[in-house]
Amino acid sequence: MCGIVAVHRTDSPAVSAADISAGERMLDRIIHRGPDGRASRQVGQTFLGHNRLSIVDLPGGNQPIGSDHGHWLVANGEIYNHAELRADSTYRFRTDSDNEAVLAVALQQGIDAIGDLRGMYAFVIAREDGTFIAARDELGVKPLYWADVDGAVYFASELRAFDEKIRPEVREFPPGHAWSSSEGLIRTKRYVPPVPAPADRAEAVRRIRETVITAVRRRMMADIPVGVFLSGGLDSSIVAAVMARYADNKWGPVRSFAAGTEGSSDLIAARRIAEHLGLDHTERVYSSDEAVNALPSVVASIESFEPSLVRSAVPNYLLAETAAQSVKVVLTGEGADELFAGYDHLREIEESQLQEELERSVRGLHNLNLQRCDRVTMAHGLEARVPFLDRDVVNLAEQIPIAWRLPGLYGQEKALLREAFEGWLPDDLLWRPKEQFGDGSGTADVMRERATDFESSANWHEERVAGLDAPRSREELAYQRLFAAELAGIDAAVLGRFATA
């Protein structure tokens, strides 16, 4: 996991001193994403920059990584099947880094083969002759932004990286796409292996269990200990249970982390899960004042003023701050609600429309929940991995009849997922009703009540923050002001929004 920057000059055979200076400034602003190392390189008409968080090939995985044919790579993310790709490739690898598999696949098989990469990634490849490729994973788990200004195309992992004069032109690089100097922006082929629909509910439950276990085990790949964010809810508890069962003994018990206000339901449930699984558990208990005081840093970090994201980001931010003192990698439960209909509002959608809504929700995660997940962790030099968004889990979920995923009017949501892991967790916690993280941690009400700490105007509905839409609540206006203080100039069209605040 890292922060990447690139400046590609399209109107000149070489980057200028000004381009290099701009690239170095961009790297400065995202140093938190890679506190273990920093390097840059001029490659013809391209500047490449990289801030490294060392997880795989600790001594030899520094970037940019070069090839025998003069290509250079900077990448952010993890390639979980890099060992298999290495075994099947004639490419001469120079490092043991999982990211070098990106070079091998792109150079030997072409951009269409990027679908063979199993993982989360955003990368740039450049060569002295002007060859240039940028690409992002199918679901947009890893962030990438770009701007085309005055004969140069700028790329970075976060919005804050861009100089203020460039920010109005910054756009999100679309997930599942690649941009090359020869072809422009193209849709990369989505690799979807044949996945037959389960014959019955019992088969669906068995395959869910097997596929989730495999996805979690893939994401335990690292040369350092891997921890887990444990909210006490279903999704993170399942991830923790799988990790506990398959952990490498050389690292000791799996390290779990929970956050919330004193006596919050999340803390209580997480404590019981950790004890049941034998985890090395750490809690971050915070006061309402600590939560409110963190708001400016949280809004700046997640690069959003969306109220729902902010409320859930506060406990996540404080949790990541604590976890980063012990580990560099954590697994989370992101994505399960979108795949298995875990949200209450989905009960109101007609069965005929629910499949489409779930698929839309999964494809829309990149600039909402995944953005929050990436930013709050990387703000502290911590990598978050999301096993439920493994392509095999996603592909299987899409083949399960929608009627089997419906909770019914009074039924429990995500029943299939719960059935798949019966016996792995205490029954009362396995079937614990879902709470939003901001609610279960005790933070959401605090945020709503104390928005006046940042916005006291009685006529808030008449107030406007330059360049942003009319606020939908006093709380949102407060977050808009905090956002504008750190990210002035960013076009709000870049940001993901929920239907309600």
Side-chain angles (χ1 to χ4, degrees):
M1 187 68 65
C2 306
I4 64 172
V5 162
V7 181
H8 179 66
R9 180 56 62 179
T10 57
D11 63 355
S12 171
V15 288
S16 67
D19 295 328
I20 295 171
S21 179
E24 295 289 358
R25 289 194 303 274
M26 293 169 76
L27 272 182
D28 286 342
R29 298 186 189 111
I30 56 172
I31 189 66
H32 51 275
R33 295 188 70 90
D36 295 333
R38 169 177 172 151
S40 60
R41 186 178 187 91
Q42 181 179 344
V43 185
Q45 60 202 77
T46 304
F47 168 90
L48 297 176
H50 189 262
N51 290 322
R52 186 186 183 202
L53 181 64
S54 304
I55 294 171
V56 176
D57 189 12
L58 306 188
N62 293 328
Q63 299 185 30
I65 297 175
S67 76
D68 289 349
H69 300 288
H71 298 85
W72 290 88
L73 165 81
V74 289
N76 171 29
E78 301 292 343
I79 308 301
Y80 303 118
N81 64 332
H82 75 103
E84 299 96 312
L85 293 172
R86 285 171 179 271
D88 294 337
S89 177
T90 59
Y91 173 92
R92 190 181 79 84
F93 286 85
R94 295 182 173 187
T95 76
D96 292 325
S97 169
D98 59 295
N99 282 169
E100 194 174 3
V102 173
L103 267 178
V105 170
L107 300 187
Q108 288 200 322
Q109 302 177 51
I111 205 71
D112 283 341
I114 288 176
D116 290 337
L117 299 172
R118 184 186 291 277
M120 53 183 187
Y121 55 82
F123 67 81
V124 170
I125 297 173
R127 194 166 180 243
E128 292 282 349
D129 64 1
T131 299
F132 184 94
I133 300 170
R136 190 179 180 197
D137 67 71
E138 174 69 25
L139 294 180
V141 180
K142 288 296 97 191
L144 188 62
Y145 298 93
W146 62 334
D148 189 346
V149 181
D150 296 333
V153 187
Y154 300 81
F155 295 82
S157 297
E158 295 187 8
L159 293 168
R160 72 174 75 190
F162 295 88
D163 285 348
E164 191 166 338
K165 65 180 181 180
I166 293 175
R167 287 179 178 176
E169 306 304 320
V170 174
R171 295 293 179 267
E172 184 184 24
F173 192 90
H177 283 72
W179 184 85
S180 69
S181 51
S182 58
E183 298 183 55
L185 187 66
I186 60 171
R187 186 76 169 83
T188 53
K189 291 183 178 178
R190 182 187 174 201
Y191 179 70
V192 184
V195 179
D200 53 34
R201 189 180 180 92
E203 182 186 341
V205 167
R206 175 184 59 79
R207 286 172 59 186
I208 288 171
R209 179 172 56 253
E210 293 172 352
T211 308
V212 170
I213 289 172
T214 300
V216 171
R217 296 187 70 183
R218 283 193 186 113
R219 282 153 185 79
M220 295 171 71
M221 173 201 82
D223 294 337
I224 54 178
V226 177
V228 59
F229 277 180
L230 183 59
S231 70
L234 175 69
D235 311 328
S236 64
S237 296
I238 286 174
V239 171
V242 176
M243 293 178 71
R245 187 167 295 194
Y246 294 98
D248 189 330
N249 290 332
K250 72 178 180 180
W251 302 122
V254 172
R255 301 174 192 180
S256 58
F257 304 89
T261 55
E262 186 69 48
S264 60
S265 58
D266 277 357
L267 279 183
I268 295 170
R271 197 176 300 152
R272 284 190 56 206
I273 291 291
E275 183 178 356
H276 176 81
L277 297 174
L279 308 179
D280 181 357
H281 191 57
T282 300
E283 294 181 350
R284 173 67 183 269
V285 182
Y286 54 84
S287 67
S288 59
D289 283 342
E290 285 181 278
V292 172
N293 291 339
L295 272 173
S297 296
V298 169
V299 172
S301 294
I302 67 172
E303 301 187 324
S304 173
F305 52 81
E306 179 63 36
S308 295
L309 285 187
V310 176
R311 291 177 208 133
S312 59
V314 169
N316 268 279
Y317 181 89
L318 297 173
L319 179 61
E321 183 178 53
T322 298
Q325 298 172 24
S326 303
V327 296
K328 289 185 178 181
V329 185
V330 291
L331 271 57
T332 81
E334 301 290 342
D337 288 318
E338 287 76 13
L339 292 174
F340 296 101
Y343 294 116
D344 278 344
H345 74 268
L346 295 175
R347 298 172 186 264
E348 303 169 4
I349 298 176
E350 295 291 335
E351 181 176 337
S352 60
Q353 300 174 327
L354 185 55
Q355 178 69 43
E356 182 179 343
E357 174 61 19
L358 292 179
E359 291 180 5
R360 185 202 63 76
S361 296
V362 171
R363 304 299 162 187
L365 281 169
H366 57 92
N367 60 3
L368 289 168
N369 289 345
L370 285 176
Q371 179 171 319
R372 169 188 45 76
C373 179
D374 171 84
R375 300 299 203 285
V376 297
T377 50
M378 291 307 292
H380 302 289
L382 182 68
E383 172 179 294
R385 298 178 177 179
V386 286
F388 283 108
L389 294 177
D390 183 276
R391 72 182 184 201
D392 288 348
V393 180
V394 174
N395 293 343
L396 172 60
E398 291 178 349
Q399 293 302 315
I400 294 174
I402 200 64
W404 298 356
R405 287 186 274 169
L406 287 171
L409 185 60
Y410 302 108
Q412 181 62 281
E413 82 287 343
K414 294 183 288 192
L416 279 175
L417 192 55
R418 297 173 195 272
E419 291 171 31
F421 287 90
E422 284 186 330
W424 290 59
L425 300 166
D427 280 351
D428 63 318
L429 295 179
L430 179 69
W431 293 92
R432 177 191 177 206
K434 176 180 175 57
E435 290 183 275
Q436 301 300 325
F437 189 40
D439 296 324
S441 65
T443 308
D445 289 341
V446 171
M447 297 297 99
R448 294 186 187 98
E449 292 167 5
R450 296 191 56 180
T452 54
D453 288 15
F454 295 93
E455 178 51 55
S456 58
S457 171
N459 298 317
W460 62 265
H461 53 284
E462 298 176 0
E463 299 285 338
R464 297 290 184 275
V465 175
L468 302 181
D469 295 335
R472 294 167 291 177
S473 66
R474 184 197 302 273
E475 182 187 10
E476 184 171 60
L477 177 60
Y479 302 154
Q480 286 183 341
R481 295 200 191 282
L482 295 173
F483 176 89
E486 294 290 335
L487 291 154
I490 291 294
D491 188 335
V494 177
L495 309 176
R497 308 297 302 280
F498 290 116
T500 60

